Amino acid sequence: MNKTLEKFGYPDNVLFETRHWVVLLRPEQVTLGALVVGSKTDATAFGQLDAAAFEDLAHVVQRIEPALLEQFNYQKMNYLMLMMVDPHVHFHALPRYAVPPEFDGVRFIDAGWPGPPDLGAPTALESEVFAHLRATLRAELGTTSRTAHAHY
């Protein structure tokens, strides 16, 4: 795996993997359920990916959106692909909330709502809460039958 995926907690934070992509729970929860979707390649430009990776990406998005909606009832999904600090192809999938959701008694403030997400304002989580969130999303993403595909 590339250094960008390792920075975001590979392999510990993996929620699921496909042939071309890794979906990780973002260590800093800017919004509840914030994810990192990273290419398994060493590509540093989106256009360097092959057609199969783009096809696979559609399945990833179709898998994460309904699972996060079911679990947290977000209002919008934002996707940020900046690659300014971490060079390998990846993006941040950020559920957005008009009303702050709660998980395990922690209230998650979406500091940028309704504008762009504020990446500098994550919700601090105890390691136990983060681990429970990771387990919850692994279970949700692993059992979402409407999005399951044989190649996962």
Side-chain angles (χ1 to χ4, degrees), residues 37-61:
V37 180
S39 170
K40 289 183 171 182
T41 71
D42 287 327
T44 56
F46 199 36
Q48 293 174 345
L49 300 179
D50 64 22
F54 284 101
E55 182 179 341
D56 195 24
L57 181 56
H59 294 293
V60 169
V61 171

Side-chain angles (χ1 to χ4, degrees), residues 62-75:
Q62 290 165 354
R63 189 171 178 182
I64 63 176
E65 286 187 0
L68 291 172
L69 186 62
E70 175 74 23
Q71 191 65 43
F72 303 126
N73 197 32
Y74 63 81
Q75 280 71 55

Side-chain angles (χ1 to χ4, degrees), residues 23-41:
V23 177
L24 304 140
L25 183 61
R26 193 176 192 276
E28 292 185 334
Q29 289 289 286
V30 175
T31 62
L32 178 59
L35 308 177
V36 173
V37 180
S39 170
K40 289 183 171 182
T41 71

